[in-house]
Amino acid sequence: EVQLVESGGGLVQAGGSLRLSCAASGFAYDDYAIGWFRQAPGKEREGVSCISASDGSTYYADSVKGRFTTSSDNAKNTVYLQMNSLKPEDTAVYSCAAGKVYRTINARSYEYWGQGTQVTVSS
């Protein structure tokens, strides 16, 4: 059974940091990229970042570049999203997804999805 389980969300003040985790199981992790996506109330889902498990190549949306960093621990089949300098506009449900893609954050290209974790940034 494929599982993607996010954790690490919560409430943080603007300027603060959070680290999200995405634990993956049930598929050939090294063959996939893991992407992070977010969706705020009333807004469309937005791609945030992705990382290729095979070579560690990353890609970021312009809105988070320089503030967010994604990394992969292949021994644990876990991807992390370190979020620094958080802004109220970063408030959303963050979900991770797995897909056989490379350096793309197009949600339609991803096969497997987690349930999401809430991130709330107060001003």
Side-chain angles (χ1 to χ4, degrees), residues 1-45:
E1 179 189 6
V2 172
Q3 283 193 315
L4 292 165
V5 180
E6 302 94 339
S7 61
L11 174 64
V12 64
Q13 288 189 330
S17 298
L18 280 175
R19 190 178 79 154
L20 305 183
S21 299
C22 172
S25 61
F27 61 95
Y29 182 83
D30 290 353
D31 292 343
Y32 282 75
I34 304 295
W36 285 99
F37 298 84
R38 66 186 182 185
Q39 188 164 22
K43 294 188 176 181
E44 292 188 357
R45 183 165 52 194

Side-chain angles (χ1 to χ4, degrees), residues 45-101:
R45 183 165 52 194
E46 175 189 16
V48 174
S49 68
C50 68
I51 183 166
S52 171
S54 61
D55 65 5
S57 179
T58 57
Y59 182 83
Y60 298 93
D62 288 343
S63 57
V64 306
K65 204 172 292 183
R67 299 188 298 123
F68 291 11
T69 302
T70 189
S71 60
S72 175
D73 185 337
N74 286 22
K76 297 182 179 180
N77 285 7
T78 298
V79 167
Y80 304 97
L81 183 67
Q82 178 67 43
M83 305 186 294
N84 299 330
S85 303
L86 282 161
K87 306 174 182 179
E89 51 263 44
D90 293 319
T91 296
V93 174
Y94 284 71
S95 301
C96 63
K100 287 191 174 181
V101 298

